[in-house]
Amino acid sequence: MWRDHLTEIIVFSLLFLLVSAMGFVAARWRAPKDMGHLDEWGLGGRSFGGWITWFLVGGDLYTAYTFVAVPALMFGAGAAGFFAVPYTIVIYPLVFLVLCRLWSVSHRHGFVTPADFVRRRFDSPILALLIAITGIVATMPYIALQLVGIEAVLKTMGVTGDSAVARHLPIIIAFAILAAYTYQSGLRAPALIAFVKDALIYIVILVAVVYLPYKLGGWGSIFDAADAKFKASPAPNDGILLNGNNQLQYVTLALGSALALFLYPHSITGVLASRNRDVIKRNMSALPAYSLLLGLIALLGYMAIAAGVKPLPGAKAGSVDSNTVVPVLFDQQFPDWFAGVAYAAIGIGALVPAAIMSIAAANLFTRNIYKEYLKRDATPAQEANVSKITSLVVKVGAVACIVFLDPQFSIDLQLIGGVIILQTLPAVALGLYTRWFHRGALIAGWAAGMGLGMWMLYQVANPTTGKKHFAGSAFPLSDFGFDTKRTIYVGIVAVLVNLAVAALLTLVLRAAKVADGADGTTPDDYFADEGDPRVTPGADRDAESAREPVA
């Protein structure tokens, strides 16, 4: 009952109200002369310095769902859950130079989305449309997943109701407030709130890794308890070490997730909001500090085992909600007031990425669908208004998914999202370095990778849950005719096929001398920095009018 958690609810509510107020105040923080422009509303004026960008991008990548899902995976499956740690380490050297080039060319041409870059680089509105749709589809379930984190906290505090609407009323109210201050303040709202969100998470985790092992008998006892649980479990799992059959899956999942992370539109939005190239370089060097935090977060799953945590019941009869593992651990082990702080860290941790994701999805729709196909002569003010309205629609859709659908559906969609966003890698990431690929070949490669990825995901079953299709992203190699029990991450196979088709078809189309369009960028564009002049948009794109560089 909620009365047993009154202190936690009060602390949670007060901190939530604090960040909500900050969200509205953000409209006056670094206030521009005119918010009626996507550069201002959707990218914060492209003016964020090192600290703001560090908190913004960190708050964007390390979400509330990460806070509850990674420990839950460690709790249920063991060592496989650690895949999130190496992939967030591997990614930063990979994108160190790539993101600098993307920022430079976007600064020079006024690009707001990755699809803007693809449109100008390959002179292909169809390819840009595919990139935009892929980004929107991959982002939507990600927003819904942030609500899963909030729901786990509310369920632990006993804030439930009899009907679906009553049970989710706190989430509806929270997202209504989020929608209001995001509509008013744009990207400045999550940028300001990210300071509080990350500070709370750091405090909670640092306290947890000292206080909880002390209460549970030390790290040796924690790992012994986890090892004993997995050895006694009849269900197939890794234990505290990977078994031989899952090592290939672990490596490919970590690599594939790393490649996908900065292809997501919300990740790119945080980067494009930076002031200059040096800000990005410093952040790519400093952001691995969050990976240290993530490793500590993952160990909460083993602490929950040692503490004897039992997840709360799930929506279906006889099921359990594994996402409640961490909130229940905090409820059992922390004093009520600090449990409230921990719950607020998770809840606020959902608001920052959800706001950025909705802004990123709205920008994609506005720039690459509305402006390209519905109103080519849209003014900057009209673009900003459409993006604001679209961001509201996106949030309403995310709430509807949680209220009316099984939350597992959003989790399954997110598995698909990681696979499909990888199919933008040849056009976006490789396109920053080479114009060798033919635009028609890139479209064919996208279709081939997407088709194969969907087929492979459809074939993945889970005998434990009885799910026959879309039950994960670990594809058994035996389905390809190999005599082995090993599995591989679907996304890696799909993007390799994508690249192979794009490369082979490029050779064919070049040999056939099929027209390939004009590259609208120059080599110097990829090294432009703060203060360098913007390129006057060409008539072919009918883009926004040139603006003065942001200081």
Side-chain angles (χ1 to χ4, degrees):
M1 290 292 293
W2 65 269
R3 292 181 181 85
D4 298 328
H5 302 274
L6 188 59
T7 301
E8 298 165 2
I9 293 172
I10 291 173
V11 173
F12 175 88
S13 300
L14 289 175
L15 288 172
F16 188 88
L17 290 174
L18 170 64
V19 299
S20 298
M22 292 176 64
F24 288 106
V25 170
R28 297 184 176 88
W29 178 55
R30 293 169 171 253
K33 293 181 179 179
D34 181 17
M35 281 285 282
H37 200 292
L38 281 186
D39 267 12
E40 297 295 345
W41 184 83
L43 292 180
R46 301 182 190 258
S47 62
F48 293 159
W51 279 108
I52 299 174
T53 301
W54 191 74
F55 280 106
L56 178 66
V57 175
D60 189 14
L61 301 182
Y62 301 88
T63 68
Y65 183 66
T66 303
F67 208 123
V68 298
V70 173
L73 184 57
M74 296 287 293
F75 180 90
F82 268 121
F83 86 93
V85 178
Y87 101 67
T88 57
I89 296 172
V90 169
I91 181 58
Y92 297 112
L94 291 177
V95 302
F96 185 90
L97 296 177
V98 173
L99 292 179
C100 287
R101 293 175 69 89
L102 178 60
W103 183 91
S104 291
V105 72
S106 299
H107 171 79
R108 177 64 64 86
H109 290 271
F111 300 151
V112 177
T113 70
D116 282 348
F117 161 71
V118 170
R119 173 67 170 87
R120 184 68 62 87
R121 177 69 150 162
F122 295 99
D123 194 19
S124 174
I126 295 177
L127 181 59
L129 177 64
L130 293 176
I131 298 298
I133 292 175
T134 303
I136 294 171
V137 172
T139 301
M140 285 294 291
Y142 222 150
I143 301 173
L145 282 185
Q146 305 315 308
L147 295 176
V148 173
I150 297 180
E151 187 173 48
V153 166
L154 295 175
K155 184 183 293 187
T156 305
M157 291 192 296
V159 182
T160 58
D162 296 329
S163 66
V165 174
R167 185 168 64 253
H168 294 99
L169 184 60
I171 291 180
I172 296 173
I173 295 173
F175 256 57
I177 296 172
L178 170 68
Y181 66 65
T182 303
Y183 185 92
Q184 174 179 323
S185 305
L187 194 65
R188 286 174 171 82
L192 188 57
I193 293 171
F195 285 91
V196 177
K197 174 255 187 187
D198 290 350
L200 286 175
I201 288 181
Y202 268 100
I203 291 171
V204 170
I205 296 305
L206 291 177
V207 169
V209 298
V210 174
Y211 178 73
L212 294 181
Y214 170 77
K215 286 196 66 177
L216 298 173
W219 286 107
S221 297
I222 290 172
F223 279 96
D224 287 343
D227 190 40
K229 176 201 171 185
F230 293 125
K231 286 180 177 178
S233 174
N237 53 53
D238 288 303
I240 61 174
L241 295 176
L242 285 171
N243 64 48
N245 292 330
N246 285 342
Q247 290 175 4
L248 179 62
Q249 163 68 11
Y250 183 90
V251 171
T252 53
L253 177 58
L255 178 60
S257 300
L259 294 174
L261 187 61
F262 275 96
L263 291 172
Y264 277 104
H266 57 276
S267 302
I268 293 176
T269 296
V271 170
L272 296 186
S274 303
R275 179 186 299 137
N276 54 42
R277 289 167 62 95
D278 284 343
V279 167
I280 298 172
K281 291 177 181 178
R282 291 196 299 269
N283 270 272
M284 293 304 107
S285 300
L287 278 168
Y290 278 96
S291 300
L292 170 63
L293 187 70
L294 182 60
L296 300 177
I297 290 174
L299 290 174
L300 292 173
Y302 287 171
M303 294 182 202
I305 295 174
V309 167
K310 302 294 183 185
L312 296 178
K316 295 181 180 179
S319 66
V320 296
D321 185 356
S322 61
N323 291 317
T324 61
V325 165
V326 170
V328 171
L329 172 67
F330 290 162
D331 182 51
Q332 293 180 357
Q333 302 296 323
F334 283 150
D336 288 350
W337 70 270
F338 195 75
V341 174
Y343 294 158
I346 299 175
I348 297 168
L351 301 183
V352 173
I356 303 171
M357 291 169 190
S358 65
I359 290 170
N363 288 346
L364 280 168
F365 173 82
T366 301
R367 290 296 291 257
N368 308 114
I369 296 177
Y370 172 77
K371 185 176 179 67
E372 183 74 51
Y373 294 97
L374 302 179
K375 190 174 179 59
R376 294 183 61 86
D377 60 347
T379 65
Q382 289 173 327
E383 285 185 352
N385 286 332
V386 169
S387 198
K388 289 180 180 180
I389 295 171
T390 305
S391 73
L392 296 179
V393 174
V394 167
K395 294 184 188 73
V396 171
V399 172
C401 287
I402 292 299
V403 173
F404 299 110
L405 299 177
D406 184 347
Q408 183 62 41
F409 182 68
S410 295
I411 297 172
D412 295 339
L413 282 179
Q414 174 53 24
L415 290 174
I416 299 173
V419 173
I420 68 173
I421 200 65
L422 263 177
Q423 307 318 308
T424 66
L425 185 144
V428 177
L430 298 185
L432 288 165
Y433 280 91
T434 178
R435 182 58 170 78
W436 180 79
F437 288 103
H438 192 285
R439 59 184 180 181
L442 287 171
I443 293 172
W446 177 92
M450 199 70 71
L452 177 64
M454 291 302 101
W455 175 81
M456 292 175 69
L457 288 168
Y458 181 80
Q459 299 299 318
V460 176
N462 187 336
T464 304
T465 62
K467 197 166 186 179
K468 297 181 179 179
H469 306 291
F470 297 107
S473 58
F475 186 83
L477 289 176
S478 58
D479 286 6
F480 280 147
F482 294 98
D483 185 17
T484 179
K485 294 182 179 180
R486 294 188 175 187
T487 58
I488 190 170
Y489 176 52
V490 171
I492 284 290
V493 178
V495 77
L496 288 176
V497 169
N498 182 341
L499 287 167
V501 170
L504 290 174
L505 196 55
T506 292
L507 295 174
V508 172
L509 294 175
R510 296 250 188 266
K513 297 183 179 179
V514 176
D516 193 19
D519 183 359
T521 67
T522 65
D524 288 344
D525 292 344
Y526 298 91
F527 299 95
D529 206 344
E530 180 184 17
D532 291 345
R534 300 277 183 90
V535 171
T536 302
D540 62 319
R541 182 70 177 95
D542 196 24
E544 66 186 38
S545 58
R547 305 176 70 227
E548 291 297 322
V550 178

